[in-house]
Amino acid sequence: MEMFIDGGWKPAASGATQPVTNPTTGAVIDTVPTGDERDADIAIRAADRALASWRAVPVAERARLQRRAAQLMRDNADRIGRVLTAELGRPVAAAVTEIQRSADLLDVYAEEGMRLHDEVILSNPGEKIMVRREPVGVVVAITPFNYPITLLCFKLGAALIAGCTVVAKPAEDTPLSTLLLAELFHQAGYPAGCFNVVTGKGRGIGMAMVNHPIPGKVAFTGGTAAGKAIAAAAAGTVKRVTLELGGQSPAIICADADLAKAAAAIARHGFANSGQFCYRVNRVYVESPAYDAFLSALLAEVAKITVGDGQTDPVTMGPMVNAKIFGNAFGQIADARAKGARICCGGDRLTGGLYDGGYFLPPTVIADTDHSMQIMTEETFGPVLGIMPVDSPAQALQLANDTVYGLAGFVFSGTLSRGLALAERINAGSVWVNDIHRSNHSAPFGGMKQSGIGREKGRYGVESYLEYKTLYLTYDEGL
């Protein structure tokens, strides 16, 4: 496939390409252009030309187009989902669900766009003060491999409904589904240049986009180190930024919690997408009287998880996306094992037959951990959970907050007042109490501390793509 720029398919200026690999088999399934600063400039200038007219399009028309794009996504969910499975390895049903839920988010953003309004501030006779909200401009959207469509739509739907235009740069592992999405938006009727997709290496074309003088904002989801580099570069031209970065999300299990429910929720959430997402449960603190019972319940739930080819088999988990992501998770297992933790299940790469083609790591539960171990202090981004006994909820809270991250947290308690008290004191952007489900499209999503800057989804996401402008009007009140 080629890049999608200014309403059409374009090769890289250099002619260079890079492979897209199926992580299940290791086979090359397609190639995409390896763009550089020349391609970044072409795409950004196309978006800038489109901005002049797009920002003047009535919000009602923007909302109509966005709903049309959402419906096209639903109509093509199976086709795009299968491409996503081929490039990511996630089972097809989950990939299709990602497309469908992303379409739902576009509809939410369309509704929020219809609620946008200017304000008039009461002032002196013969004066009017008008407060307008205008689009921030061209937006650079840089997204990771793990939920490439959802995390792009976090940015894309908010930016377009606000009157911005977008240049997206997907992850090197998963560009194909994003390119198909751009084609659907063009079919929906968006003017050329409103939504462009470039491909290439992050430190090449990605940083060229961040450093370009035209964009007014960079929206990035990815690792904390990369986010810091982007923020530093964006400061050079004082671009606005939204950064959704890494996480090391804690769960607290109180002794009086419903242990069966907690175990089922943590197994479901902690191993979804092979553990490759930033707000998954990473570490679990269990009050000592419940420790053995919870661990038994968790292992029973984990035993139900199946690992295999998500394209053809009815499995729960596919492979990890590449050697680097696998190596990080496997390194944390080795670190915990060397420091005396107990590997309760998993722990070794799966081999033989199908498994030899990709980086398959079974769901891994590590018990008897402590904060000397990487699994309890560093982001894993893989199907590995660390479990640690604690003497009290207060100790669990102290350990939960002993981190540079602050994306998500989870609390299970049979006493609602205790559960709420713990949730309120966890330093994280989102906290779930007594169950874990997907983040709501109308609620703000983002992190505290080094887990990011800003919020996405709902009206909070749309507002982050708007600038305030104050107009002072003086007029003659005479009739």
Side-chain angles (χ1 to χ4, degrees), residues 252-259 286-291 393 412-414 418:
I252 296 174
I253 313 296
C254 297
D256 63 352
D258 183 333
L259 300 183
V286 187
E287 209 172 351
S288 293
Y291 185 73
F412 291 84
S413 174
R418 180 187 297 118

Side-chain angles (χ1 to χ4, degrees), residues 6-168:
D6 207 14
W9 299 104
K10 301 285 193 301
S14 68
T17 62
Q18 60 196 53
V20 181
T21 303
N22 183 323
T24 301
T25 65
V28 174
I29 55 176
D30 207 336
T31 61
V32 294
T34 303
D36 58 26
E37 66 275 2
R38 292 169 291 177
D39 304 290
D41 182 68
I42 291 168
I44 287 169
R45 292 189 184 280
D48 193 41
R49 289 192 299 272
L51 178 67
S53 55
W54 178 246
R55 65 186 297 157
V57 171
V59 173
E61 174 62 9
R62 293 182 215 155
R64 185 191 70 80
L65 289 172
Q66 193 142 306
R67 293 190 186 99
R68 172 62 177 153
Q71 188 55 51
L72 284 174
M73 288 174 66
R74 295 184 185 98
D75 294 344
N76 290 271
D78 186 74
R79 178 172 69 95
I80 300 176
R82 290 185 178 278
V83 170
L84 178 54
T85 292
E87 62 186 351
L88 176 58
R90 187 194 306 144
V92 170
V96 171
T97 297
E98 176 177 349
I99 310 305
Q100 294 168 335
R101 277 185 48 80
S102 299
D104 294 342
L105 177 59
L106 292 183
D107 283 339
V108 170
Y109 277 142
E111 293 170 5
E112 293 296 345
M114 295 299 294
R115 298 186 181 102
L116 294 175
H117 60 276
D118 292 341
E119 297 177 358
V120 176
I121 296 176
L122 297 176
S123 55
N124 298 322
E127 296 178 355
K128 286 286 186 289
I129 302 174
M130 303 173 63
V131 181
R132 290 178 49 78
R133 289 191 285 184
E134 298 185 350
V136 73
V138 174
V139 173
V140 169
I142 302 176
T143 51
F145 70 86
N146 56 330
Y147 286 95
I149 299 302
T150 291
L151 294 172
L152 175 57
C153 286
F154 274 22
K155 301 151 184 56
L156 179 67
L160 289 176
I161 201 68
C164 301
T165 54
V166 177
V167 181

Side-chain angles (χ1 to χ4, degrees), residues 266-316:
I266 289 172
R268 181 179 67 247
H269 186 73
F271 298 109
N273 201 27
S274 300
Q276 299 171 123
F277 63 106
C278 50
Y279 78 100
R280 65 177 286 268
V281 177
N282 206 137
R283 53 198 163 109
V284 185
Y285 303 101
V286 187
E287 209 172 351
S288 293
Y291 185 73
D292 290 338
F294 170 77
L295 192 56
S296 294
L298 177 64
L299 292 173
E301 292 292 335
V302 171
K304 301 174 185 177
I305 297 173
T306 53
V307 183
D309 184 350
Q311 300 172 101
T312 59
D313 301 331
V315 295
T316 313

Side-chain angles (χ1 to χ4, degrees), residues 169-184:
K169 193 275 174 193
E172 297 163 35
D173 294 294
T174 54
L176 303 178
S177 52
T178 298
L179 289 164
L180 291 178
L181 186 69
E183 184 180 44
L184 284 189

Side-chain angles (χ1 to χ4, degrees), residues 140 209-218 233-241:
V140 169
M209 294 162 67
V210 174
N211 288 315
H212 199 286
I214 288 178
K217 175 167 181 170
V218 178
T237 48
V238 198
K239 291 179 175 67
R240 308 299 185 262
V241 294

